[in-house]
Amino acid sequence: MYRPLPTCLTIKSSRIEGLGLFAVEDIEEGYVFGVSHISDTRFQDGYIRTPLGGFINHSNNPNTMLKPVETGGKMKVLVATKNISSGDEITTKYTL
């Protein structure tokens, strides 16, 4: 069954901007949340954003990274770069 977000995340109001992604359980470093961006030049910044990519906020001190993946097209997955505690906002350093 398709789920737009992994069960360890929810969307709610962010202190950074608008809505953001938040952990609802502890998440270990190295966890792969799933596909966040799919290359498509018809869209802003050249990517279609999935719910992961659409709701994650930027931080200069992020707890995840966007990792490029090649599988017949350019995609990026979101990966935890440190342990994340339940209640923490999921952030990344946006460099598309």
Side-chain angles (χ1 to χ4, degrees):
M1 173 195 319
Y2 171 74
R3 293 179 180 264
L5 294 175
T7 57
C8 61
L9 297 179
T10 193
I11 298 169
K12 64 182 187 177
S13 292
S14 168
R15 290 183 178 169
I16 297 171
E17 181 169 339
L19 298 173
L21 295 174
F22 289 83
V24 294
E25 59 189 57
D26 292 342
I27 299 167
E28 290 187 13
E29 179 180 351
Y31 179 82
V32 178
F33 294 94
V35 175
S36 59
H37 295 74
I38 302 168
S39 179
D40 189 322
T41 57
R42 297 172 296 174
F43 289 81
Q44 181 181 356
D45 299 323
Y47 287 93
I48 296 172
R49 291 173 176 84
T50 68
L52 284 173
F55 288 99
I56 192 163
N57 281 313
H58 172 82
S59 173
N60 286 325
N61 186 23
N63 51 20
T64 68
M65 67 177 280
L66 297 173
K67 182 178 178 184
V69 176
E70 291 291 333
T71 56
K74 294 182 181 177
M75 294 190 300
K76 294 187 183 225
V77 293
L78 189 65
V79 180
T81 57
K82 55 180 87 171
N83 291 333
I84 301 168
S85 298
S86 181
D88 287 352
E89 183 166 5
I90 308 302
T91 59
T92 198
K93 190 168 189 173
Y94 259 108
T95 56
L96 294 176

